[in-house]
Amino acid sequence: MPRGLLHSATFGGPTGSPDLVVLHGMLGSSRNWSLVAKELSGFATVHTLDLPGHGQSRSLPAMDFPGMAAAVVNWLDAEAFEKVHLLGHSLGGKLAMWVASEFPSRLESLIVADIVPKDYPPHSQEILEAMARLDLISILSRRDAEDAMLDAIPDLGMRKFVLTNLVRGEDQQFFWQADIHGLLRSLPALSSNPMAGKAPHQGKTLFIRGGESNYFRPADEAGILQYFPNSAVQTIPEAGHNVHFDDIPAFVSILRSHLDV
């Protein structure tokens, strides 16, 4: 990866298909979107990015929205994309909102998955703190790590998701691929409303909500219109926060309709 660029993976779509750039959530990576990206590539060319401090992308001195947004736009410039459809989930959705607000001319449309423009509690703080406490020197296997984090992260699915960030170096020593300490320092800023104090974004926008999610409630729709007056909301009834994964066929169908392909 050339210095300063974000790591990305591309899933080629049909000739002339629209370019869809995907920004993952906190502690995710481009890998987490591979299955969905393959489905979306039936009608779009999908580019999944590792955000700064995640996956194979470098960290930033300040892991905040301005710095992350600049990294995304730098990637667009390096790849010679004038305009793209930008899709973000959770933290990636907040970042996508920031990019849309600051660089509206770079977007064909904005798609936000299960997050809204408001302040949130720092949901990931306990998980990040548990990751920071883990004695990686004593960990000899992924099972060791899973057992060590059982009390701090009792939910099996979440524990396995978090441990996708645990990798071995060339010396076979485990390390966290994500910048845990940088994310902890930046968590208050990343938990805030990315649209606070910003003018409304007038571009075409779609919000996709999980019907069983606690992150996006029906009452939040009024706040969405305040910042995104040209927006629509689609709900996937039986999906939770991971709306893109809980009902892949419904998610893909909504994206196909939005992209009008």
Side-chain angles (χ1 to χ4, degrees), residues 43-194:
F43 52 84
T45 298
V46 184
H47 311 273
T48 57
L49 274 57
D50 284 349
L51 297 185
H54 292 77
Q56 298 181 57
S57 291
R58 294 182 177 88
S59 191
L60 297 171
M63 300 278 283
D64 54 17
F65 291 125
M68 286 187 170
V72 171
V73 173
N74 287 342
W75 182 89
L76 294 176
D77 290 342
E79 298 294 327
F81 288 126
E82 291 187 10
K83 301 182 79 169
V84 297
H85 298 275
L86 185 62
L87 163 62
H89 169 246
S90 197
L91 172 61
K94 284 189 162 190
L95 177 56
M97 293 183 221
W98 182 284
V99 173
S101 175
E102 294 293 321
F103 306 95
S105 64
R106 306 305 297 269
L107 269 62
E108 294 283 1
S109 76
L110 170 66
I111 306 118
V112 180
D114 211 65
I115 204 77
V116 298
K118 69 177 185 180
D119 295 329
Y120 282 85
H123 288 110
S124 301
Q125 183 167 343
E126 291 184 3
I127 290 174
L128 288 165
E129 289 175 345
M131 295 169 75
R133 288 195 304 268
L134 187 64
D135 180 10
L136 295 174
I137 300 298
S138 67
I139 297 299
L140 301 179
S141 69
R142 301 187 69 83
R143 182 58 185 268
D144 286 348
E146 190 169 327
D147 291 344
M149 301 195 78
L150 178 61
D151 290 340
I153 310 175
D155 181 80
L156 176 62
M158 176 58 73
R159 198 161 62 250
K160 288 187 177 296
F161 169 72
V162 166
L163 289 172
T164 61
N165 291 278
L166 189 67
V167 297
R168 285 187 189 269
E170 293 182 359
D171 60 358
Q172 297 303 303
Q173 177 64 52
F174 280 107
F175 69 96
W176 291 117
Q177 197 169 36
D179 180 5
I180 305 305
H181 296 286
L183 290 170
L184 267 171
R185 288 192 300 270
S186 302
L187 200 57
L190 297 178
S191 299
S192 66
N193 180 358

Side-chain angles (χ1 to χ4, degrees), residues 6 85 215 239:
L6 302 178
H85 298 275
Y215 284 74

